[in-house]
Amino acid sequence: MEHSDVSDSDDGGPGLPHEAVEARSEIARHLRPSSFPADRATLLSVAREENAPGAVLGALERLPDGAEVYENLQAVWAALGGPVEHGRA
């Protein structure tokens, strides 16, 4: 998963582009919900314990290295620059 996979722009529809859904799902697959809230180091540790592929680890390594604590997967996704779903009007 390259950085561009995470930051592809929305196609204008109400949902996420397929590539973004796949990228977000792959990250979610390797982070236990019980891991949150968590900082970057904890997320990387959990992903390694869950045998995450290099693409997931690479994405998590791009998170800012600091005191930021992520409350949930959506916060991680946003920090990675992933597109956000827009509800139907």
Side-chain angles (χ1 to χ4, degrees), residues 29-50:
R29 192 171 301 130
H30 299 286
L31 294 177
R32 296 184 298 268
S34 62
S35 303
F36 293 97
D39 61 9
R40 176 184 182 266
T42 300
L43 293 173
L44 280 164
S45 177
V46 170
R48 287 184 184 109
E49 289 172 12
E50 296 294 324

Side-chain angles (χ1 to χ4, degrees), residues 7-18:
S7 61
D8 286 342
S9 63
D10 194 349
D11 62 3
L16 294 177
H18 179 73

Side-chain angles (χ1 to χ4, degrees), residues 1-82:
M1 169 187 339
E2 295 296 319
H3 183 68
S4 62
D5 292 342
V6 175
S7 61
D8 286 342
S9 63
D10 194 349
D11 62 3
L16 294 177
H18 179 73
E19 295 81 15
V21 171
E22 290 291 319
R24 186 177 70 178
S25 294
E26 186 67 9
I27 292 169
R29 192 171 301 130
H30 299 286
L31 294 177
R32 296 184 298 268
S34 62
S35 303
F36 293 97
D39 61 9
R40 176 184 182 266
T42 300
L43 293 173
L44 280 164
S45 177
V46 170
R48 287 184 184 109
E49 289 172 12
E50 296 294 324
N51 298 311
V56 170
L57 295 174
L60 295 174
E61 287 170 351
R62 287 196 308 273
L63 290 169
D65 191 12
E68 181 77 27
V69 173
Y70 303 94
E71 295 297 319
N72 52 39
L73 177 65
Q74 291 77 12
V76 171
W77 184 245
L80 291 172

